[in-house]
Each structure stands twice: as structure tokens, then as C-alpha cells.
Amino acid sequence: MDKNTKQAIEKLAGQNPTNNTVNDVAMTDDDWLDKAAEKVNAVSGDTYVKLKTGLLTVNQLEDFLNAVISEMAFVDENNQFLYFNDATMPSLANRKPKKAQLGNPLGVCHPEKVQKNVAAVVDLLKSGKKKIAKIPMPTSNPDEYFVHYYCGVYNSDGEYRGVNEQVFDMKPLVDWYLKKTGQKIIKDPDAKVDTYTGATSQKSKDDIIDAISEASPK
């Protein structure tokens, strides 16, 4: 194992608990969600949650997040995978997380060979050098063009709080725009297509795709 991979594995192991980390529940426990929720007496159902810009019940908030037209996942500043929305549409990227993965450190969510890439993206967002990282995910279907958005999450003081990953299929939106405006996309013969956008020096497309999938199956 090379030095960079070893450092990435250590960085993504979730070994720096925060004030919001639920202690005394193993991160890799398949029942982490239920056990952690019980530990902190988490509210649910029709209990109201006061937000800075709204007042919703837990059920309303969950229904709202599930109706967002993208797949979303949240990883906190300790690199612990804490949330994914249960989007009503089919899985956009064929990598929908499982409930048993909740609570896992990112080092468990990804194979060893791509952890350098994952750590590099996290470092960019954590440092503030980038607030958003956009990475395309090529597929063999010409009617699909998935884009992963990695958005740094920061509190009101600008402190890093984690990563919000969103996955969009851009093709339907582009098609709709072209139809509504009567425009066409014309290939630029001088354009250089950036297939491997992102914080990585690796050239394998498979590695890039694996590296950017925040909650890929074990």
C-alpha cells in the first residue's frame, strides 16, 4: 500500500468525533440508524422541527426531501455517512445506498483503490478551495448524462460541516431547454472534452466513477 492511500484510509476512517457524533454506537453497525436515534431520543413523525426559515413536522420534512428531483446524501465533517433521501424516482446512478450503510465512515463505503480520490475531493471542499465540485459520470446510454455535485456544507460562521452530494441526470433538462427555445447543440471541433474532471491524478474512468460515488454499496 502506497503512502497516499494509507493516509487517505486513515483520513476517511471517521476517527475525529464532533459535538454531533453519536457515541457508544458502532459506526459500522447495520442497525446504526435505529440505535443512534434511540440513544439521542430523536424526534419523528408529526413532531415539529423549527428551522431558520420554516416550521415542518418530521414527516413533512422527509416527504419534502424525498420529492427533490435528485439523489442526495450527506457526510459530516468526521466523514461519517449520515443521510440519503429516498427519492421517489428510480435510482439515477444505480448506486442507491442502503439503510445498513448509514453511520459508516467513508472508508467503509469505498474500496481501497479509490480512497485517494475520495479524500482529495473532501480536502478541496474542507479547505474552501472549492465550494462545489462537479464530476460527470459517463454511461453507455446516450439518453443519460449523470453529474455528481459535491457541495461543501458550512455553518453561518463559514466552518466546514460536511459534504452534500447530489446526483442529477442533466440530459432531460437539456432536451427540455432545447425544445422550449428552439436551439440546437452543435459540436465544437476545437473543444477538448474533460472526461476525468475532479481532484485526481488517476486516468481510469472506472476509478473516477467509483471514487465520486459517496455512498456506493460495499
Side-chain angles (χ1 to χ4, degrees), residues 88-215:
T88 54
M89 77 287 286
S91 180
L92 293 175
N94 296 318
R95 30 67 78 199
K96 189 163 187 170
K98 299 177 177 64
K99 182 180 176 182
Q101 290 178 277
L102 289 170
N104 282 351
L106 280 183
V108 174
C109 294
H110 300 282
E112 180 181 303
K113 67 176 183 177
V114 300
Q115 292 195 30
K116 287 187 291 188
N117 297 349
V118 178
V121 172
V122 171
D123 283 346
L124 277 176
L125 299 174
K126 187 174 183 178
S127 68
K129 292 179 180 178
K130 275 186 174 291
K131 297 297 179 69
I132 299 176
K134 299 186 292 290
I135 305 178
M137 179 175 161
T139 74
S140 59
N141 187 343
D143 293 322
E144 297 175 338
Y145 191 84
F146 294 131
V147 177
H148 286 243
Y149 281 75
Y150 297 91
C151 308
V153 178
Y154 311 90
N155 65 16
S156 58
D157 294 324
E159 298 170 329
Y160 174 78
R161 300 306 302 272
V163 179
N164 173 8
E165 179 195 13
Q166 301 185 36
V167 184
F168 295 89
D169 182 359
M170 299 295 293
K171 185 66 163 52
L173 181 59
V174 171
D175 289 344
W176 178 85
Y177 171 78
L178 295 176
K179 181 178 179 180
K180 288 294 183 180
T181 61
Q183 299 185 57
K184 292 183 178 180
I185 294 178
I186 300 176
K187 186 174 182 179
D188 182 354
D190 298 321
K192 294 182 179 180
V193 179
D194 184 4
T195 307
Y196 306 112
T197 302
T200 177
S201 60
Q202 296 189 28
K203 295 183 180 181
S204 164
K205 184 172 69 174
D206 291 336
D207 282 354
I208 299 296
I209 291 173
D210 285 341
I212 64 178
S213 183
E214 285 290 1

Side-chain angles (χ1 to χ4, degrees), residues 43 47-58 61:
V43 298
T47 303
Y48 282 95
V49 178
K50 181 183 178 182
L51 305 172
K52 187 175 181 179
T53 54
L55 181 67
L56 300 169
T57 66
V58 175
L61 182 59

Side-chain angles (χ1 to χ4, degrees), residues 20-89:
N20 300 119
T21 299
V22 179
N23 297 310
D24 302 324
V25 179
M27 287 185 172
T28 55
D29 192 317
D30 286 350
D31 296 318
W32 178 88
L33 175 59
D34 294 330
K35 291 180 179 179
E38 182 179 2
K39 183 78 176 178
V40 300
N41 297 314
V43 298
S44 61
D46 292 323
T47 303
Y48 282 95
V49 178
K50 181 183 178 182
L51 305 172
K52 187 175 181 179
T53 54
L55 181 67
L56 300 169
T57 66
V58 175
N59 284 338
Q60 287 177 317
L61 182 59
E62 189 161 50
D63 291 341
F64 167 72
L65 291 170
N66 289 343
V68 173
I69 55 172
S70 66
E71 288 188 6
M72 297 192 302
F74 176 66
V75 176
D76 73 1
E77 64 266 47
N78 189 32
N79 292 322
Q80 186 177 16
F81 174 42
L82 296 181
Y83 171 80
F84 67 94
N85 69 329
D86 190 12
T88 54
M89 77 287 286

